[in-house]
Amino acid sequence: MRRLATLALAALATAAPAHATFPGSSGRIAAAAKGDVFRAIITLPPMGSARGRNVRFLRDCQLSESGQPDSGDCSIRYRSPSWAPGGRRLAFDSGPAIALVSSDRSGYRQLNAVTSDDGEPAYAPTGSALAFTGRVGSRRDLYVRGTAGGTGIPIARRAASPDWSSRNRIAFVRRGTIYSVTPRGGRLRRIARGSAPSWSPSGRSIAVARRGGIYVARADGHGLRRVLRCSGCRTPVFSPNGRMLVYKKNGLVVARATDGKRLRTIIEDVRGGFDASEPAWQPRQ
C-alpha cells in the first residue's frame, strides 16, 4: 500500500482546481484508477487539499515491478464506480460480475452474474436495485436487478452508460443518442445526441458530453445548452447539491455547473504512469 500512496501522491495536482448524483451534501469523488503497479477504486476529496494521504483505496490490486499480482485482489476488474443514495455503499464493475463495497472498505461482495459480462452499474433512488448493461451475444442490453441478488429484468436493447435518476427514469446511450426509459421498460424517450449521461440530483436536468464540450438539458431534452467549451472533456457528473460538475480531462476536474468555470483539478493523469477516470460523486445525508 505504501507504493500505492506514493504513486498517487505524485499524480495529484497541487494547484487550485460514469452516474447519477443523488441529493445530499457533497462527499468524496470515487474513480477507477490504474497505474504501473496497481488497479483500484479510489476516493478523493472534491475541493480540499490534494495530498496522498487523502486518497483512499476502497478496493485494489497491487502488482510487482514485473507486473505480477503482489497483494490485494487482482482477480477482478476495477471500473465504473456508482454511489448508492446516502453514500454508504458503492457498486462497481469487477469483470463478469458487479461488486458492492462500503465506503469504509468493509462488506465487499460480488453479485451473481446475470449475463456473461455484467457491467456499468447505476443505483436506483431506493438503493435496493441497480441498472446495468449485460452482454447478449455481440450486443449489450440494459437490465434492472436487486442488490440482494437474483435475476435481471431486461428493459432495453443495445444500451450503454445507464444512469438512474432520483425521479425514477433510466438514461442510457444507443448509437450516439441518449434515451430514457422507466425501470419497467416500455416506450423510450429521446433526450439528445451525446454520451455519458448524468442526471442532476433533482432529476430535472441531465449533463451530457458532446463534441465541443459539456452540455446540460432538461429531463425531456429541451433547453440544451453548452456550459463548458472543451475538447476531449468526458463523463460529466453533478455534485450532490447540483452546483458543480466533475469531469475527465487529463485527470479529474471540478467546475461550476452554471457556467463551467474551472474550480480545481483534483487529480492529474501521468502519461504512462497513472490514470483516473469514470468519476462518481458521493451524496451524504
Side-chain angles (χ1 to χ4, degrees):
M1 185 63 73
R2 183 178 298 172
R3 275 188 290 168
L4 296 178
T6 299
L7 180 56
L9 176 60
L12 292 172
T14 57
H19 292 290
T21 301
F22 295 108
S25 60
S26 297
R28 295 174 69 86
I29 294 173
K34 60 182 180 180
D36 289 342
V37 296
F38 75 97
R39 306 286 185 270
I41 298 294
I42 64 173
T43 68
L44 302 152
M47 299 299 290
S49 176
R51 298 178 183 272
R53 64 176 177 269
N54 286 330
V55 180
R56 298 176 187 167
F57 292 80
L58 295 189
R59 196 78 182 175
D60 61 81
C61 158
Q62 185 169 350
L63 306 172
S64 67
E65 294 181 359
S66 63
Q68 297 302 308
D70 188 11
S71 63
D73 189 348
C74 297
S75 67
I76 64 173
R77 188 166 59 190
Y78 298 89
R79 296 289 307 275
S80 303
S82 173
W83 288 107
R88 295 181 180 176
R89 294 283 283 170
L90 183 141
F92 66 95
D93 180 350
S94 68
I98 292 166
L100 308 179
V101 67
S102 295
S103 58
D104 63 1
R105 293 177 55 94
S106 67
Y108 171 80
R109 66 186 176 95
Q110 282 187 316
L111 299 178
N112 62 291
V114 173
T115 73
S116 62
D117 185 15
D118 299 351
E120 301 181 300
Y123 265 101
T126 62
S128 61
L130 294 166
F132 67 99
T133 61
R135 184 172 298 283
V136 180
S138 61
R139 72 172 192 267
R140 297 193 69 85
D141 292 347
L142 180 63
Y143 293 80
V144 169
R145 67 169 303 159
T147 56
T151 61
I153 301 171
I155 61 172
R157 301 177 68 179
R158 298 188 301 278
S161 304
D163 205 27
W164 203 326
S165 82
S166 58
R167 291 179 169 252
N168 216 28
R169 297 287 296 187
I170 300 173
F172 67 93
V173 180
R174 177 190 287 174
R175 295 175 179 172
T177 298
I178 297 167
Y179 298 88
S180 72
V181 66
T182 73
R184 295 180 179 271
R187 185 172 177 270
L188 305 184
R189 178 187 295 167
R190 185 185 184 280
I191 297 178
R193 295 283 294 174
S195 65
S198 177
W199 294 105
S200 68
S202 69
R204 293 189 174 96
S205 59
I206 192 168
V208 302
R210 289 165 55 111
R211 179 179 296 179
I214 293 171
Y215 292 71
V216 173
R218 295 198 295 270
D220 60 6
H222 294 141
L224 182 72
R225 65 185 181 89
R226 181 163 55 188
V227 297
L228 176 63
R229 185 185 297 272
C230 178
S231 175
C233 291
R234 309 193 302 276
T235 58
V237 173
F238 277 100
S239 63
N241 61 15
R243 298 173 185 169
M244 295 178 285
L245 292 166
V246 59
Y247 60 91
K248 168 76 171 178
K249 173 66 175 177
N250 300 324
L252 299 180
V253 181
V254 174
R256 262 191 332 226
T258 52
D259 57 10
K261 177 179 173 57
R262 182 185 294 234
L263 301 176
R264 182 178 288 272
T265 298
I266 60 171
I267 194 164
E268 292 180 344
D269 294 343
V270 176
R271 182 172 296 181
F274 180 86
D275 177 80
S277 62
E278 302 176 304
W281 207 318
Q282 179 189 31
R284 287 181 173 172
Q285 299 301 321

